[in-house]
Structure formats: structure tokens, C-alpha cells
Amino acid sequence: MAEGKLTKNIIYFGTPEFSVPSLDGILRAGLQVPLVVTQSDKPKGRGHVMAMPPVKEFAISHGIRVIQPLRLKDENFIDTLKSINPDFIVVVAYGRILPKAILDIPKVAPINLHASLLPKLRGASPIAWAIINGETKTGVTTMVMSEGLDEGDILLREEVEITDDDTAKTLGIRLSVVGSGLLVRTLEGLINGSVKKTPQIGTPSYAPPLKKQDGRIDWRRSAREIFLFIRGMEPWPGAYTRIGNETVKILKAKPLDGTGTEGRIETVTGDSITIGTAKGLLSVIEVKPQGKRAMSVKEFLQGRRLKGGELLI
């Protein structure tokens, strides 16, 4: 780590809502952020209106310059980063891997906030996979970035409990707040010399990125596994199945004791649907039909002639 007086200039890389608390925390700590780098604006919602990434909206509201490069190896972009002469590059859920040419720019270090207890769950979707895998705790880790996938030396870590009510969305919100505090403590510790890096220890596991088709529910799994899967897939890409002629996302469900045929609707009442799995039953609580709002099972069943015995795809 570099020594001496620091100007505390930080170039911040981030994109989704998860990244906003950390940028806010850095600014509140009095550290300077002359530039934010984020991904391109993208169409959003049913109207496909172009929308800014949450970090861009936040940066603009605080008068911070924003760049959205198409190519990270573009020489003009890299020259712009170098011209700032930053002490740190900080990355929080930016969504793209930074090349060595960028990692070498900061005077002190390139720092990443990762939403797991490394070396567990390296990769793009650690929050979702922590829930899907049935973990009872996860956390956030700050590390010095290297060219490998989340392989850099650890700076600080903090644990967070996973409850049975957590989805990837709710857990992500908690982790983003805890991570903001951890990141600020990391930066301040690097500046005053109280934080030291240590190698990652243990067998790594991985959290690959999620695609839309990954949300299809496999009814050959147990009710408990599907319960975890539904929670881990919320909000993206959503856990879905075919009920009747509709593609339906299952937003909330609970596992029950009992036996049934895998993927078969076992019982339908005025306000419940129970589905068989490889082990146990799954009671569906809340759904979202394609192109419609989220609703209770009772609302969903109104006007639909659903009955037991139907196999889901």
C-alpha cells in the first residue's frame, strides 16, 4: 500500500440499486468522488422507456460526473481515468470485469465490495445463490482487486444472517447498507494504515450469473429446495412455471409435509394451491401472472377453473 498524504480521490464503478448506499457512504465520509463509471441506460418497464442506472441518477443528483463506456479497454476512457490520478478505484456491483490497465491506475489500490464471505460464492450472483444453497448466513467482503474472479486479498468482512423470510431482494437491501459501512471503514483504514490485506483461505465456491431461463421451477426437487429457489430468484429472474395456459411467477410459497406427484396440483381451494414435489408439498401464497401485477392465490383463482390433478410444466 502506498504511504504519505492522500488526496482521497476515488473513481467509483457501480450500476444497480445495491451500489447506491456505498457511494452515499463514501460521500458522507468526506471522501472525494470526481467521477462515477456505470453501465449504459437500458429500456425498462412495459413501455421500454430508457432508464438510467440507479447509480447514475444518484451521481447526477450530487453533481458528480458520470461516464458510461462501451469498451473498458478504450484508450480515451483509460486516459480519462489516469488524468484524475485517483488514490482508489472502488467497485460495487458494476457488472463487468475490469482489465489490468484499469486495476493498475489507482495510487493505493483498486477495492471491491463483494456480497459474500469470500472465498464463498465468488461471481456475479452471490446473494441469490446464498439463499438457493440454503445458507443460514452470508455477508460482505472488501478486497484488493486482482485479475482473477473475486480472488483478491481480503481487507474486511462482516457477517449477515439469512432468515426464512429473506428473498434476494430483501437480503440485498440489508447487505448494501452493511456493505456501505464496511467499505467506508476499509477506505479509512487503508488511509490511516490500520487495515491490512490477508490472502483468502478455504475452498472457493461460485455464484454464476442468472439468466431469464434459469427461473423455471424444477418440480423434481424437494419442497424445501423449491422454497429456497423461489426466494433466491426474487426479484430476478423470478421463479416461474406453467399453470393452465399461463406462465406464472411464484413470488411466495411455503413447504409442507405430505406426499404428492412431482409437479401435480394436489389440491385447490378458494384461496390455496398445493403442488406435489419430490419430497413434501408446496403451498403457493402469492403469484404474478405474465403481464399482470402480483396477487394472492385467492385473487388468481377468481375466474380460473383450476382443479387438482393438473401437471405443471
Side-chain angles (χ1 to χ4, degrees), residues 47 86 94 110 116 147 187 189 199 207 220 229 238 253 258 310:
Y94 173 57
S116 79
E147 290 186 86
L187 293 169
R220 296 169 298 180
F229 180 80
E310 184 174 344

Side-chain angles (χ1 to χ4, degrees), residues 115 146 242 292:
S146 66
R242 294 280 294 181
K292 299 181 180 179

Side-chain angles (χ1 to χ4, degrees), residues 12 33-37 59-60 62-67 80 83-84:
Y12 189 87
V33 183
L35 179 65
V36 164
V37 182
I60 290 174
H62 286 74
I64 302 172
R65 181 186 178 193
V66 176
I67 295 180
T80 297
S83 70
I84 292 171

